[in-house]
Amino acid sequence: MAADSDDGAASAPAVSDGDVSKSTKSGEELVVQVPVVDVQSDNFREMWPSLLLAIKTASFVAVDTELSGLGDRKSLLNQCIEERYKAVCHAARTRSILSLGLACFKQQPDKGEHSYLAQVFNLTLLCMEEYVIEPKSVQFLVQHGFNFNRQYAQGIPYHKGNDKGDESQSQSVRTLFLELIRARRPLILHNGLIDLVFLYQNFYAHLPESLGTFTADLCEMFPAGIYDTKYAAEFHARFVASYLEYAFRKCERENGKQQAAGSAYLILEFCSYPSSMRAHIDYRCCMPPATHRPHSTSVCDNFSAYGWCPLGSQCPRSHDIDLIIDTDEAAKEDKRRRRRRREKRRRALLGLPGKQTSGEAEDGPPMKQVCGDGLKAEEIELEVGEDKTSNQPGPEQGHKNDLEMGLKATRSETADMTILEVPGNQASPNPMPGDGLHRAGFDAFMTGYVMAYVGVNQGSQPCSSGPWLPECHNKIYLSGKAVPLTVAKSQFSRSSKAHNQKMKLAWGSS
């Protein structure tokens, strides 16, 4: 469906001032929602103009994927980054992308320095070549509402590797990815190495053999920069946990505090879609959190640190993200008070007057100390390997679920996070059992929200000259490493032949 405005919106946007916007109609129960546009083969052509306009007018685009699997988890954690890259390449060549999430954030300077229009799309895909799908992947996705019947019946078809003839003018997912490159906008991902490799192999060209060539290609594909919200949350914002749900909710809460304090804060708007599109709009629903909520159970240590728990919904402890953040903030404040008391006693003993020092300087990101019931970090990695968006914070911890395995963390217990409030009668009809917030489209939205919030605190604008966020520019989080992967073109590496041909196609036909 073509957009009805220059913003790429279907109709007038609904404002989310700070955290929520509320319906003024009386007698209607409010639920917090973010509209996610479902795009499948039956409405792909109809939505094509809106997709293109949203990408071309965006200030930055956040992307997330659902994958059919990743194969050998240990290879994906190889300490040698070159070998790790080869393992991810093997997975991308043998597995496929099941769904693609796009969240386009368009800055609106006339409505505020940090005001954005957000448009979120969830594309259901179907690779037309043979690919491996892992039983555990199927099981996990089905438990969280992924409809394989719909995917095989209405998935948008695509092929992997190099182009087959002149595809630059076709309406396909590969052409959509090319338009994303042509837009020259910052690309936002969460723990994005695997996403980048899969996107390249599935929608762009055959992967180069070496990591240096791959990063050289990426530099030219996304000259405005690639930003990883996991790196930003852990090493820049210094959150004690950085899996996506935690980072998103933490940013949401901090944004609300900044708004209440009169400081700079993030403002979002969403499109109000017409009733004719209702069948293709999936509102990600949850109730807004209460200011003070009683909690009868303690926090699950595994879920708190990693965003994953082997017991799932059967766990007797809480997986509530707000309670987890409350607990973390209380622990941080207690630690600060104890540090102040120690410093005060030390100065009194030494007879030192003057200002107290914080004593909080740290080289790496803060870490949670989690008891693993005798399990080594590497063993925990193998257990959490089914989780693509969570993590084990800190460079010395195991990071299996940091791998963004294409299979997301259980979210039915963490449904206290989203932005827009609309009347409950607009909620998605007939929700599937187990359907929580687990979708590529909504994950892309959360990813974009985190980066937009980081940008508010940084005080920089995505369309300004130079890198948007220099400290996070072209730095990709590496599981189990204290330093990121820097996306840069080395003087010892060249761009791949397939990439050079693709660049000529992109700019020769644009």
Side-chain angles (χ1 to χ4, degrees), residues 36-39 44 51 55 61-67 96-103 120-126 146 156 158 172-174 176-177 180 187 189 195 198-199 202-203 388 408 439-444:
V36 179
V37 182
D38 275 320
V39 184
F44 185 51
L51 284 164
I55 290 173
V61 179
V63 175
D64 188 81
T65 61
E66 298 282 1
L67 311 177
S96 74
I97 297 178
L98 304 179
S99 62
L100 173 69
L102 296 174
V120 187
F121 303 92
N122 190 91
L123 285 75
T124 301
L125 309 179
L126 181 62
F146 190 89
I156 303 168
Y158 76 91
S172 66
V173 182
R174 294 175 63 88
L176 187 68
F177 186 70
L180 179 61
L187 180 69
L189 306 139
D195 285 312
F198 267 78
L199 290 169
N202 281 263
F203 306 142
K388 182 173 175 285
K408 314 295 184 177
R439 300 201 71 198
F442 188 75
D443 289 354

Side-chain angles (χ1 to χ4, degrees), residues 238-241 246-247 249-255 257 291 299 304 321-338 368 453:
R238 298 183 57 79
F239 295 162
V240 296
Y246 187 101
R249 189 56 175 156
K250 179 73 172 177
C251 290
E252 234 190 352
R253 289 164 54 121
E254 294 301 314
N255 190 59
K257 292 177 184 178
T291 305
V299 164
S304 173
I321 292 293
D322 280 293
L323 177 58
I324 290 170
I325 296 176
D326 288 341
T327 303
D328 290 344
E329 290 178 348
K332 182 178 180 180
E333 181 59 32
D334 181 64
K335 183 178 179 181
R336 186 181 291 114
R337 285 196 297 266
R338 285 187 280 112
K368 291 189 181 186
Y453 173 78

Side-chain angles (χ1 to χ4, degrees), residues 238-307:
R238 298 183 57 79
F239 295 162
V240 296
S242 55
Y243 52 91
L244 186 54
E245 298 95 329
Y246 187 101
F248 170 68
R249 189 56 175 156
K250 179 73 172 177
C251 290
E252 234 190 352
R253 289 164 54 121
E254 294 301 314
N255 190 59
K257 292 177 184 178
Q258 290 176 202
Q259 179 185 1
S263 304
Y265 66 97
L266 179 62
I267 302 172
L268 292 184
E269 290 185 359
F270 298 92
C271 297
S272 295
Y273 295 99
S275 58
S276 60
M277 289 185 61
R278 185 71 51 81
H280 297 298
I281 306 297
D282 179 21
Y283 291 96
R284 297 285 85 191
C285 311
C286 63
M287 297 302 295
T291 305
H292 300 287
R293 294 177 299 173
H295 296 285
S296 57
T297 58
S298 59
V299 164
C300 170
D301 289 339
N302 271 325
F303 196 91
S304 173
Y306 312 139

Side-chain angles (χ1 to χ4, degrees), residues 129 159-164 167 174 200-207 502:
E129 303 166 2
H159 71 84
K160 298 194 289 186
N162 295 336
D163 289 338
K164 297 179 179 179
E167 297 184 89
R174 294 175 63 88
Y200 191 111
Q201 175 67 26
N202 281 263
F203 306 142
Y204 190 66
H206 286 306
L207 284 159
K502 198 78 175 183

Side-chain angles (χ1 to χ4, degrees), residues 283-484:
Y283 291 96
R284 297 285 85 191
C285 311
C286 63
M287 297 302 295
T291 305
H292 300 287
R293 294 177 299 173
H295 296 285
S296 57
T297 58
S298 59
V299 164
C300 170
D301 289 339
N302 271 325
F303 196 91
S304 173
Y306 312 139
W308 178 90
C309 172
L311 298 179
S313 59
Q314 303 301 315
C315 181
R317 297 190 174 188
S318 176
H319 292 178
D320 182 88
I321 292 293
D322 280 293
L323 177 58
I324 290 170
I325 296 176
D326 288 341
T327 303
D328 290 344
E329 290 178 348
K332 182 178 180 180
E333 181 59 32
D334 181 64
K335 183 178 179 181
R336 186 181 291 114
R337 285 196 297 266
R338 285 187 280 112
R339 185 183 292 112
R340 289 198 192 107
R341 287 197 294 267
R342 288 197 302 267
E343 180 70 9
K344 186 176 181 179
R345 287 196 297 268
R346 185 183 73 86
R347 288 181 170 274
L349 289 173
L350 298 177
L352 298 176
K355 187 178 180 180
Q356 296 184 14
T357 58
S358 65
E360 294 185 11
E362 300 176 31
D363 294 330
M367 295 185 296
K368 291 189 181 186
Q369 301 298 324
V370 179
C371 297
D373 296 328
L375 291 178
K376 297 181 179 179
E378 293 80 4
E379 294 172 346
I380 296 177
E381 288 173 356
L382 297 179
E383 292 298 323
V384 242
E386 305 300 61
D387 176 5
K388 182 173 175 285
T389 58
S390 3
N391 77 60
Q392 301 171 20
E396 301 302 321
Q397 296 283 347
H399 289 266
K400 187 53 188 247
N401 54 345
D402 279 349
L403 289 175
E404 302 262 337
M405 293 301 177
L407 314 171
K408 314 295 184 177
T410 303
R411 292 182 181 156
S412 57
E413 298 88 0
T414 61
D416 287 322
M417 37 185 186
T418 186
I419 305 300
L420 179 65
E421 289 192 0
V422 298
N425 59 10
Q426 292 186 17
S428 300
N430 303 321
M432 293 186 61
D435 185 21
L437 296 180
H438 165 63
R439 300 201 71 198
F442 188 75
D443 289 354
F445 166 75
M446 290 196 290
T447 299
Y449 185 98
V450 172
M451 190 52 64
Y453 173 78
V454 172
V456 170
N457 286 342
Q458 190 81 0
S460 57
Q461 305 298 324
C463 294
S464 59
S465 58
W468 175 24
L469 300 168
E471 293 184 18
C472 303
H473 182 78
N474 281 351
K475 294 179 180 178
I476 307 300
Y477 186 89
L478 289 175
S479 302
K481 297 289 185 180
V483 294

